[in-house]
Amino acid sequence: MHLTLHHLKLYKPTKTKLNKIELLSKNWNKAIRSALKIVKHWGFTAYTKSHKQTYRVLRNNYKLPSQVANEANRKAVEVYKVNENSNFNRIVPVRLVHKKSFEIINNEGKYFAKILTPNKDKVYCPLSFGEYQLNYLEDDNYKIKTAQLYKSNNEWYLDLTLEYEQPKRDTDTTLGIDLGIINLATFSILDEDQNILHTEHISGEQLRFKRMRYKQKRKAKARSSGSLKTSLIKENQICKQLNWKIANRIVNLADKYNSKIVFEDLKNIRKNITNGNTLNNYEKNNWAFYQLKQFIKHKANLKGLPVEEINPKNTSQTCSVCDQKGFRSEYKQDFFKCANGHILNADSNASINIAKKAI
Ligand SMILES: [Zn+2]
C-alpha cells in the first residue's frame, strides 16, 4: 500500500488551545448534521451540487475554515448515500487537509501541528510520537496528505496519512491525450523524433447510450415515485467504471512505452465543450473529465510516470503533419483538413499535437 497512517498525540495543550480544538470538533459535527438536512431536502448525491447550497451556511453558522466546511458537505453526502433516512448522531473525527486546514511544522527538530480553528483562529501545539513515526516524517519520499483530529480518553490525537511518492521515471516517449465528446479519449504516443508509435480511440458511444437510458428511466420513475436517487447513483457508477477502465488502458500503455503523459489544461476543455451542438450542450459542465484525469494521475503516480498539462491553444486547428492551419470538416466532425490538403482524424490529430507540445 502506498498510504501509511500514523497516530500523533497533541502534547499537553493549554486550556486556551483545548477550547479552540473542542470548538472545531463541536462545530464540525454540527455542520455535518446541518449539511445533511440540506442534502436530504434536495436529494443531493453529488458533492458539487450540494456544495453550492451548504458552503455559505456552514461558513456563516459554524465559522469553519474553508476546507473543513467543504469536508462537512462531503461527509453529509456520504452519509446520505449510505442511508437516506440517517439522522447521524455519532461524533466523528474532524477531517483536515495538509496545508489547507492544518500543517506539520518542524521547528529545529521539534514537531508542531498548526490547526486552523473556527473564527479564523489557529492553534500551535507540540506533538508527541515515537521513533517509528519520526522516520516516516523525515523521509522525503513520504508526503503528508490528510489528518483526522479526534479525542480519546481525554487526549487529542491527529491521525496522519502519509503518501509514498514513487520517484519519477526518465521517460523515452510522450503520450498525448485529447478528451472529447464523440471519442471520450484519444491518445497518441510519439518518440523523441515525433514518430507516431501508437494511436487509439475510446468511444463515448457506450456511456452516452446508457446515460440517455437512465435519463429516460429517471423521468419515468420521478413521475411515478418521486425518487431520483437510485438511477442517479447508477449513472455515476457507470461513468466511474468507464473512467477507471480508460485510465487503466492509458497508464498501462504509458508504462509499456515508458511515456510521459500529457493532458490539455481542463479549464479550456470545459470552455470548448459549451460552444457546440446539442450533444455537447447535454454533456456540458461534466465532471467526468475531471474524474478521469484524477484516476490517470493517481495510477501514473503509482508507476512513477510523470504527468504534464499543456495549454491546448491551436492543438485542434493545426495539422500534425505539416503544421499548417486547418479546420474540422463541417459535414463530418471527426475529420480535420489542412490548407495543404492533409485529411486526418480530428481527435488523433489533436492528441498528436498535444504530445508534440510536451516533447
Ligand atoms: Zn497538413
Side-chain angles (χ1 to χ4, degrees), residues 319 321-324 338-342:
C319 175
V321 178
C322 68
D323 287 337
Q324 275 290 329
C338 82
N340 285 338
H342 293 119

Side-chain angles (χ1 to χ4, degrees), residues 14-131:
T14 61
K15 189 88 192 119
T16 324
K17 289 177 187 176
L18 276 178
N19 287 340
K20 290 182 191 177
I21 292 167
E22 298 271 3
L23 183 67
L24 174 64
S25 171
K26 216 168 85 188
N27 285 9
W28 148 262
N29 278 287
K30 281 185 190 166
I32 295 170
R33 277 180 274 284
S34 167
L36 185 59
K37 277 188 195 148
I38 299 172
V39 168
K40 273 185 185 174
H41 177 79
W42 296 92
F44 287 130
T45 53
Y47 313 127
T48 42
K49 294 240 169 78
S50 58
H51 173 85
K52 286 179 197 132
Q53 305 292 329
T54 61
Y55 184 73
R56 277 290 138 213
V57 178
L58 302 187
R59 289 274 276 168
N60 291 339
N61 293 357
Y62 305 106
K63 311 293 176 201
L64 290 172
S66 169
Q67 175 267 317
V68 180
N70 283 337
E71 217 57 50
N73 167 62
R74 197 175 278 263
K75 179 74 191 175
V77 175
E78 281 170 17
V79 169
Y80 178 70
K81 278 165 95 167
V82 173
N83 172 8
E84 55 185 289
N85 297 315
S86 173
N87 287 318
F88 201 69
N89 294 315
R90 288 187 300 125
I91 297 295
V92 290
V94 189
R95 291 182 186 172
L96 306 171
V97 174
H98 194 229
K99 302 227 161 131
K100 295 261 168 70
S101 53
F102 87 107
E103 198 171 338
I104 301 295
I105 295 164
N106 180 353
N107 190 353
E108 291 171 6
K110 278 193 170 173
Y111 282 88
F112 290 80
K114 174 184 157 190
I115 301 167
L116 302 189
T117 55
N119 304 310
K120 294 184 178 165
D121 223 338
K122 51 182 165 289
V123 161
Y124 286 92
C125 189
L127 292 163
S128 116
F129 50 85
E131 191 80 16

Side-chain angles (χ1 to χ4, degrees), residues 184-345:
L184 287 181
T186 301
F187 35 98
S188 299
I189 302 175
L190 274 66
D191 68 14
E192 281 162 357
D193 300 322
Q194 306 196 348
N195 298 309
I196 301 159
L197 307 178
H198 183 95
T199 187
E200 186 173 330
H201 303 281
I202 293 176
S203 153
E205 203 68 23
Q206 184 197 4
L207 180 71
R208 209 155 41 234
F209 174 70
K210 286 197 177 159
R211 283 203 156 177
M212 289 297 188
R213 252 185 38 209
Y214 276 115
K215 210 180 172 189
Q216 282 157 5
K217 262 196 192 168
R218 206 160 70 217
K219 275 187 187 159
K221 224 178 172 183
R223 271 196 295 272
S224 61
S225 74
S227 162
L228 295 177
K229 210 186 128 205
T230 325
S231 59
L232 264 176
I233 292 176
K234 275 226 173 96
E235 196 181 287
N236 287 344
Q237 276 169 355
I238 290 169
C239 193
K240 194 172 176 182
Q241 279 167 6
L242 190 67
N243 273 341
W244 195 253
K245 259 163 72 180
I246 298 173
N248 260 336
R249 175 68 187 147
I250 291 177
V251 175
N252 285 341
L253 265 181
D255 188 27
K256 187 177 148 199
Y257 284 91
N258 196 26
S259 325
K260 169 167 72 180
I261 298 173
V262 187
F263 283 107
E264 326 164 59
D265 195 307
L266 267 174
K267 278 168 253 154
N268 296 292
I269 296 174
R270 289 239 167 106
K271 237 181 268 163
N272 291 341
I273 296 167
T274 49
N275 52 35
N277 55 35
T278 47
L279 239 189
N280 289 355
N281 280 333
Y282 168 60
E283 308 217 19
K284 77 182 172 185
N285 295 330
N286 205 322
W287 49 269
F289 290 141
Y290 175 77
Q291 185 184 52
L292 174 61
K293 197 167 145 183
Q294 293 304 109
F295 286 170
I296 292 174
K297 274 186 179 171
H298 171 74
K299 287 168 187 289
N301 186 31
L302 293 181
K303 291 186 187 284
L305 292 165
V307 174
E308 196 178 309
E309 285 179 58
I310 54 107
N311 182 342
K313 192 161 183 277
N314 295 333
T315 48
S316 57
Q317 290 103 25
T318 306
C319 175
S320 60
V321 178
C322 68
D323 287 337
Q324 275 290 329
K325 282 253 167 193
F327 50 86
R328 272 182 191 250
S329 156
E330 268 174 30
Y331 56 96
K332 237 184 153 205
Q333 272 280 301
D334 43 349
F335 281 96
F336 170 92
K337 199 179 166 194
C338 82
N340 285 338
H342 293 119
I343 296 174
L344 305 161
N345 175 284

